[in-house]
Every structure is written in structure tokens, then in C-alpha cells.
Amino acid sequence: MGVVRGRGLRAGTAVGRVLVLGEALSLWGGADAATGVITDERHPRWGEKLGGRVVVMPGSRGSSSSASVLAEMLRVGVGPAAIVLPRADPILVVGTLVAEELYGLGIPIVELTEVGELREGVAVRVTVVGADAVIEEEW
């Protein structure tokens, strides 16, 4: 993988192992805000923990309430370390902005057109400064 560059949607730095979700996920009703576990039994990654992972997904689906679930996950320490998407998702960005405003917690979000460059389980560092995002393998 080496170094991958994308567009920053939310600034920050994070380190974590990549979790690739092949399908969109609704955090509202699809993930437990107290544990960070995917609870949607129809989702292919049902039972996976989002906490501390660099979550790569095609987007969120469903309610704008996903923003509040993401903010709550971050508040209790079970949210993703970072989120990588092929296109901007304003609901997820709002969730991180709310978490930062209310709790002083936020995570980087990256728009990366070629998300297939990120491999499941690889430890990466995500750095977003302004609109510049860099994802690189951790050694």
C-alpha cells in the first residue's frame, strides 16, 4: 500500500487496523452506541467491533440520527479511530463535529476514491490537515 492520499473531510490523526465494510452501515439501529459493535444482523460484518479501527465503508445509510450514535460512540470510547469513504458523507462528518464540540473528541474522516487500496487488518496511520489526507502503513 505505501502511502495513499485523499481529501480530508475532518481533521485529525489516528492509528488503527483497517476494517473494510463492503456495505453501507446505518449507525442508528445498526450499531450499539455503548459497545461499538455492529448489531444489524443483515450486515455482512455483524458482530464486528468498530472501536479503534480505521473503518472503510461505502457510506452510511438511513437516518441522520447516525450522527448522534457516532458522537455517543466517541464519547464512551468505542468509536472508530477514523473513517474512510469513497465520497463525502455529511452525516458522519456532523457526528464527529458534534463529538468535538460537546466532548472534545473527534476523529479524522477521509474521502478516498479508491478505497480498495486499503487492505483489511493492516495497521495504518491517518493524518488529515485541512483538505490534505494521508494514509500510510504503520511499521
Side-chain angles (χ1 to χ4, degrees):
M1 176 190 99
V3 175
V4 177
R5 296 186 183 281
R7 182 170 76 104
L9 302 175
R10 166 61 184 66
T13 302
V15 174
R17 293 203 177 275
V18 173
L19 173 64
V20 178
L21 304 183
E23 290 184 14
L25 175 67
S26 172
L27 297 180
W28 178 257
D32 186 333
T35 64
V37 171
I38 297 173
T39 56
D40 179 351
E41 293 180 4
R42 295 170 289 138
H43 197 279
R45 301 307 295 261
W46 174 76
E48 288 276 356
K49 289 185 178 184
L50 301 172
R53 310 285 291 277
V54 174
V55 178
V56 179
M57 61 187 200
S60 65
R61 62 179 159 86
S63 172
S64 60
S65 298
S66 286
S68 63
V69 175
L70 179 56
E72 180 63 9
M73 281 185 194
L74 296 174
R75 184 187 74 81
V76 298
V78 298
I83 298 174
V84 180
L85 306 154
R87 63 190 161 283
D89 187 321
I91 291 171
L92 297 177
V93 173
V94 166
T96 63
L97 294 173
V98 167
E100 183 172 24
E101 181 67 27
L102 294 178
Y103 315 122
L105 304 167
I107 60 170
I109 299 183
V110 176
E111 180 181 37
L112 180 65
T113 318
E114 299 296 326
V115 294
E117 296 181 51
L118 302 176
R119 296 184 324 267
E120 178 81 22
V122 173
V124 297
R125 173 179 299 279
V126 179
T127 305
V128 177
V129 178
D132 295 324
V134 176
I135 303 171
E136 54 193 329
E137 285 188 52
E138 274 289 282
W139 302 106

